[in-house]
Amino acid sequence: MDSETVHRKRALRAELRERRQNLTSVETDAATAGFTANLQSIVVDLSARSISCYLSARNEPNTRPFVNWAEAQGIRVLFPVSRDDGLLDWTVGEDQTEFPGVSGMPEPAGSLLGPIAINDVDLIIVPAAAVDATGLRMGWGRGYYDKTLGSMEKCPPVYAVIFDNEYVDSVPREVHDQPVDGLVTPTRIITF
């Protein structure tokens, strides 16, 4: 693995993390409304009946109002649960409670459906640190989504959720990095 690329990714992630921490509550509330509306419109456009979406942590784009809307529409939502072996398991979170997962991110409690449950969804919504103009996604460095997306036989559309300033000209690339089909920001939806 190229240490220069690893170093560039680490520096970019630190900068993006700091930017997110500096957002005001007014900015994050406005962003949340935008994310929710744009994610809803993708689900409606795709007529998705089953999706996967992560539960957002404090400084991430807030997916919770969108998830609440999807569940209220009768859409099946699979949530990722990280495993020690670096793979993602999935749950519908029927216990209605959450806990910090292996990586410290919020994860819902519920029956685990196994890593291949993701193969049945119509849309995958993933977190990202940044996405570039070619659709290359840079995650937060744990590789869960790269492994999951890279192992899927027939992948449904994958959309990354990022703030407007995280859509960049290019991100440092490593061999295992997986592209996304589109991205959602508070102000737009871009499909690659």
Side-chain angles (χ1 to χ4, degrees):
M1 184 151 38
D2 170 12
S3 65
E4 160 77 12
T5 303
V6 172
H7 181 72
R8 283 176 42 225
K9 277 188 170 180
R10 194 172 295 138
L12 183 53
R13 284 186 187 113
E15 181 190 322
L16 295 167
R17 201 171 275 124
E18 189 176 325
R19 268 194 224 157
R20 284 185 176 186
Q21 283 162 347
N22 291 333
L23 289 168
T24 67
S25 60
V26 171
E27 289 170 322
T28 54
D29 289 350
T32 297
F35 286 127
T36 303
N38 286 340
L39 286 166
Q40 287 170 341
S41 102
I42 291 170
V43 167
V44 170
D45 287 350
L46 292 174
S47 306
R49 298 307 307 149
S50 178
I51 64 173
S52 82
C53 186
Y54 64 99
L55 282 179
S56 48
R58 201 170 58 83
N59 289 324
E60 286 190 296
N62 187 353
T63 57
R64 290 158 192 273
F66 162 70
V67 165
N68 294 340
W69 169 85
E71 290 180 333
Q73 301 299 309
I75 294 166
R76 183 171 185 253
V77 182
L78 286 188
F79 299 99
V81 177
S82 43
R83 302 185 345 169
D84 291 325
D85 63 4
L87 295 175
L88 289 174
D89 209 324
W90 303 92
T91 182
V92 291
E94 68 278 3
D95 296 359
Q96 298 295 312
T97 57
E98 52 186 82
F99 60 94
V102 173
S103 60
M105 301 306 283
E107 296 181 354
S111 306
L112 296 179
L113 306 172
I116 65 167
I118 186 72
N119 288 313
D120 298 331
V121 301
D122 304 319
L123 169 67
I124 299 175
I125 297 162
V126 299
V131 176
D132 75 14
T134 68
L136 189 64
R137 168 190 173 271
M138 183 177 82
W140 293 104
R142 297 182 197 97
Y144 285 109
Y145 282 98
D146 289 321
K147 282 190 197 92
T148 298
L149 300 175
S151 71
M152 291 181 73
E153 231 168 78
K154 193 177 135 299
C155 200
V158 178
Y159 279 79
V161 182
I162 56 174
F163 290 99
D164 285 299
N165 61 6
E166 295 165 349
Y167 178 44
V168 297
D169 291 336
S170 71
V171 295
R173 179 171 201 153
E174 290 176 272
V175 176
H176 60 263
D177 291 333
Q178 295 291 322
V180 291
D181 300 297
L183 63 86
V184 176
T185 77
T187 62
R188 55 193 177 159
I189 298 167
I190 295 173
T191 305
F192 297 108

